Amino acid sequence: MAHTISPSAATLAYLHRRKFTRGKLFPGRSCKNSSGSLLPSARRRFYFVASATNERYRGVMEISESEARPPIYAWPDHNKRPRICILGGGFGGLYTALRLESLVWPDDKKPQVVLVDQSEHFVFKPLLYELLSGEVDEWEIAPRFSDLLGNTSVQFFRDRVKCLYPSDHLGMNGATVTGSGGVVHLESGLLIEYDWLVLALGAEAKLDLVPGAVEYALPFSTLEDAHKVNEKLRALERTYFGKDYPIRVAVVGCGYSGVELAATISERLQDGGVVKAINVGKEILPNAPPGNRESALKVLSSRNVQLLPGYVVRRIRKGGGFGTSHELTKVEALYDATEIRTPESLVLELQPAERGLQSQIVEVDLVLWTVGTKPQLPLLEHNDNPNMLPLNVRGQVETDETLRVKGHPRVFAVGDSCALRGKHGNLLPATAQVALQQADFVGWNLWAAINGRPLLPFRFQNVGEMMTLGRYDGAVSPSFLEGITLEGPIGHSVRKFACLTRFPTDEHRLKVGFSWLTKSAVETAAFVQNTFTKYLQNLR
């Protein structure tokens, strides 16, 4: 049964009193109308009506000029039980919601939970590379939120956050003039009052570091990014099919994402392609365990991958013909450099970051960007905003050890949105295992805060690092087996099994596990059949 929207007089009065002038999540999108008011102008408008079911919206209602107010989400149990709003449905946000669902609550204190994300799919990002290799299907690593949350009480809204109006700074224990922790304003116009807020908005690729990167480079961090890269590779494979020169791909950055991309694409293209991996440092995977680094170097050197260490990209622009690179790879040298290439080729101007190197001009067909990210956190103005969220220089919000935002006792932050230092004083990396562990702690600390129990300090436990290096190659360095790295097919299998155990729900785990077993059985049967066929042919 749909719950209608009834604007809260207390909340509307509170928003009128607040003097946030253009507090916003995304630059250039103001919360104010032309008259300067925080509320829509008085004219006839249409608003979506939120539903308490797993549907995004139930219908549309018309509001006349005299009634023009932003719609407010009506929580199913109104104010009788705690209201938790989670912004972002990645590892931090989704797993916090599922953790809250799994805990045992007193009947009158089990929270109502709303999860907001701009996509309808949760994406298990460590397995995005397997989409390019064809090893997994999209539904396996990108299930719909509606399916994952179908058997829970968590409500999902597909929407983007426009503004935040936290009010927990008004009282020592989060008490406010409205009796809530604040209000979230979504781009659809919907307002969500909350008692507790979880910031799990993640990060996006930072392409504005180099001129031309925004126009010509493709990032690889979302499902949409993976589709674009896959479509571009397919187009290049069709264009160059049967021709006498290879597809050229540049991967900028040799951290985990860059190395995994280079290994996956080089395996896919095989002799029909060349991958150039550009890195500012002399060493790839500088923060990885030695075993992972050695495994990656071994795989990359066995394929058509040219490492260009000690270089930064100064500019990316459109190119012309073939053969403008100062150095040809062993594959390119086999072909006539006078061949006319596609007019859509791109040129990377490389500048040395180390002494003893010369500038280079590299021409490629595709540029993949894996360097730099920026958190998607609110950018509140400094003037007349004494309660702005405390952000560091990277755009992450500062938290205490319990993952509660400093100065905001009703707001928690996880994953890429959170700036927390480990035991050695360094900021924790923006990895899946950090976000997963933080989600577990935030879920528990919300339970503790609501039930009047002490909150636990977060302590990151590094369980090891793993990476894919292609369809049958991988590297896993468990922290509990010091100096040991599982590589090759064994490392690949262990990594996939470890990922399977971290899928969000038991139901999805079982479906994907059965699918993978079926695929493995088919591949094994095909291998046995081919081997037996070759054996019979040899007997003849």
Side-chain angles (χ1 to χ4, degrees), residues 196 400-404 412 440-458:
W196 304 88
D400 60 22
E401 288 187 327
T402 66
L403 298 174
R404 194 159 48 177
F412 290 82
D440 189 56
F441 268 76
V442 167
W444 173 261
N445 280 343
L446 281 167
W447 182 94
I450 291 171
N451 289 282
R453 303 291 183 84
L455 277 62
L456 296 177
F458 174 72

Side-chain angles (χ1 to χ4, degrees), residues 25 40 89 277 368 453 466 484 486 494:
L25 179 63
L368 301 179
R453 303 291 183 84
M466 28 183 216
I484 295 179
L486 306 176
V494 170

Side-chain angles (χ1 to χ4, degrees), residues 365-393:
D365 303 298
L366 174 63
V367 179
L368 301 179
W369 194 269
T370 68
V371 179
T373 59
K374 52 183 178 182
Q376 301 183 59
L377 277 174
L379 302 176
L380 302 182
E381 290 189 347
H382 288 74
N383 50 336
D384 75 358
N385 281 332
N387 61 315
M388 73 172 291
L389 298 177
L391 303 179
N392 65 5
V393 293

Side-chain angles (χ1 to χ4, degrees), residues 285-324:
L285 301 172
N287 300 318
N292 279 16
R293 189 181 308 114
E294 293 169 6
S295 298
L297 285 171
K298 187 191 308 180
V299 170
L300 295 180
S301 63
S302 67
R303 298 178 186 167
N304 296 326
V305 177
Q306 179 187 9
L307 295 177
L308 295 174
Y311 282 98
V312 295
V313 179
R314 187 166 61 91
R315 185 164 69 116
I316 304 175
R317 56 180 171 82
K318 281 189 176 181
F322 174 84
T324 57

Side-chain angles (χ1 to χ4, degrees), residues 220-260:
F220 193 82
S221 61
T222 67
L223 183 63
E224 292 73 21
D225 293 340
H227 285 317
K228 290 179 182 178
V229 173
N230 198 35
E231 290 169 3
K232 182 63 176 177
L233 286 173
R234 285 179 178 174
L236 290 171
E237 287 166 340
R238 288 193 299 266
T239 300
Y240 293 144
F241 179 76
K243 297 185 178 179
D244 292 336
Y245 38 77
I247 298 169
R248 302 159 301 171
V249 178
V251 176
V252 181
C254 287
Y256 270 113
S257 182
V259 169
E260 290 177 296

